[in-house]
Amino acid sequence: MQSLITTKYTFTILSFFLLAITNHANAASIDISYGQQGYQVQLQDEIVTLTPVGNAISFSTNLTDDFSMGVNYQNWQDDKNFDNRVNTDVTLSTAGASLSYYLDNWSFSTNYSQSEVDTKISGLKRKQNIKNENIDSSSFGFSIGYGFAKNDWFYGLLISGLYSDWDFDKYQVKTKQDEGVPPKVTTEKSSGNSSSISSSLSAAYYIPLENETGLMLGGLLTWNYLVSGDSALISRNGRNVNTRKNGSPRNVTTNSAALNSISGDNSYGQFALYASYDIDDAWSVDIDTSINIASDYDAYTWSISLGYIF
């Protein structure tokens, strides 16, 4: 069973808190990003790591001073040759939507996502040997956050939960060296669900620059815990919207939203760093990176995004 070993994009929950402590102007934003994450695939008796790269696009808007919504789509791909024995190709895609409500320093959010992971492993010496695996999952999540500001510092706490349904399909063909022996074809189907909770602490510092521009630097520590379900398939996601210091919304596509990750860990943490630079009143650039803590799977991710407010 393959395992998506990262929840890239979890950490920008820190941005989520900023919405709760700023004024919410009626504005909209669109973000386009490029990034990389980690994905594990099992090849017979060994597990190898792929590094899918890809793009994401998201749109968010404030419906009122207290409500905001967002939609997003993300896609990653990787193709790698291992020791001239097998070639492995993986494609990950996800689409999601979210709705958030803000009350004073509090924020409440719900999100839904649909994800698909397709993996194809083919032999290079015996091209007839193939293994195709597909994972489809849908997830519904919620979160409650509290944030506050002190001078140019922003602090936040977030508690979130996620419920996911998943379906797994595998098709495999194995051939033998003996001629005349028909290939062995096997199929496997399974399904299940899981529930998980997460808690996060965040801190960010805003550095005002000239001409109403600024730089925000932040960090986030998150802990994820599987409450129920199959420990081999833990689905989790998060939807977070970033704001400038003046309260205009900005979506952080690289983190987010509807990404479902699948991991063999029942309990693990994540540490992430984040930087956002306001080029002017409309344009911004965001960079983020994260790493797993106390996990069976080493995971390092990064992304860069360009955002526009209109």
Side-chain angles (χ1 to χ4, degrees):
M1 177 76 67
Q2 67 233 32
S3 296
L4 183 56
I5 60 178
T6 68
T7 320
K8 176 177 186 306
Y9 322 123
T10 301
F11 80 86
T12 35
I13 291 172
L14 73 89
S15 305
F16 179 85
F17 300 120
L18 302 185
L19 281 175
I21 54 181
T22 54
N23 296 321
H24 313 297
N26 289 324
S29 67
I30 186 169
D31 289 77
I32 299 175
S33 69
Y34 179 83
Q36 182 183 73
Q37 60 176 316
Y39 188 84
Q40 288 194 337
V41 176
Q42 184 169 354
L43 301 178
Q44 297 180 350
D45 57 349
E46 65 177 323
I47 295 178
V48 298
T49 300
L50 301 179
T51 54
V53 297
N55 301 305
I57 184 170
S58 66
F59 170 81
S60 68
T61 184
N62 286 340
L63 303 176
T64 67
D65 287 347
D66 301 319
F67 282 94
S68 70
M69 64 164 291
V71 293
N72 64 89
Y73 175 78
Q74 305 174 54
N75 182 272
W76 298 268
Q77 292 181 323
D78 192 18
D79 187 346
K80 188 173 294 184
N81 179 312
F82 291 97
D83 300 328
N84 291 321
R85 296 184 295 114
V86 296
N87 189 75
T88 304
D89 180 270
V90 62
T91 300
L92 306 90
S93 61
T94 180
S98 68
L99 180 66
S100 300
Y101 172 72
Y102 312 100
L103 178 64
D104 298 327
N105 284 14
W106 293 89
S107 54
F108 307 87
S109 180
T110 62
N111 56 75
Y112 175 81
S113 65
Q114 190 76 33
S115 299
E116 182 175 8
V117 181
D118 288 312
T119 305
K120 181 177 181 180
I121 302 173
S122 56
L124 297 177
K125 296 181 178 179
R126 299 181 190 177
K127 297 186 180 298
Q128 299 87 346
N129 289 352
I130 60 171
K131 181 171 71 171
N132 295 334
E133 295 181 345
N134 173 268
I135 298 176
D136 285 314
S137 66
S138 59
S139 301
F140 177 79
F142 70 91
S143 64
I144 300 175
Y146 180 82
F148 66 95
K150 186 174 182 180
N151 298 324
D152 290 326
W153 282 93
F154 297 86
Y155 304 94
L157 169 67
L158 187 78
I159 304 295
S160 59
L162 191 79
Y163 174 82
S164 299
D165 287 315
W166 52 266
D167 294 297
F168 173 75
D169 293 300
K170 181 174 75 172
Y171 175 82
Q172 187 170 6
V173 178
K174 288 185 177 181
T175 60
K176 296 185 177 181
Q177 292 181 343
D178 300 334
E179 295 184 3
V181 178
K184 181 181 179 181
V185 179
T186 59
T187 60
E188 178 184 342
K189 292 180 179 292
S190 61
S191 61
N193 58 72
S194 64
S195 300
S196 62
I197 57 175
S198 301
S199 59
S200 303
L201 293 172
S202 67
Y205 181 70
Y206 184 81
I207 304 173
L209 302 176
E210 296 179 353
N211 300 321
E212 297 185 353
T213 64
L215 175 67
M216 180 168 285
L217 304 175
L220 179 80
L221 180 62
T222 302
W223 196 265
N224 306 284
Y225 179 74
L226 180 69
V227 178
S228 64
D230 191 339
S231 61
L233 291 171
I234 304 172
S235 299
R236 55 192 177 273
N237 71 350
R239 177 71 182 127
N240 311 294
V241 180
N242 188 18
T243 63
R244 302 186 179 200
K245 196 168 195 290
N246 62 12
S248 300
R250 181 171 67 245
N251 219 2
V252 183
T253 313
T254 56
N255 304 294
S256 106
L259 175 65
N260 286 345
S261 16
I262 300 166
S263 171
D265 291 337
N266 289 337
S267 178
Y268 74 100
Q270 267 190 328
F271 177 71
L273 295 174
Y274 167 89
S276 177
Y277 173 65
D278 295 334
I279 301 173
D280 55 29
D281 289 341
W283 292 94
S284 63
V285 175
D286 301 80
I287 300 174
D288 63 68
T289 182
S290 67
I291 188 171
N292 280 7
I293 301 173
S295 170
D296 292 336
Y297 307 109
D298 294 330
Y300 171 78
T301 68
W302 62 267
S303 66
I304 182 170
S305 66
L306 178 67
Y308 179 73
I309 295 176
F310 57 95

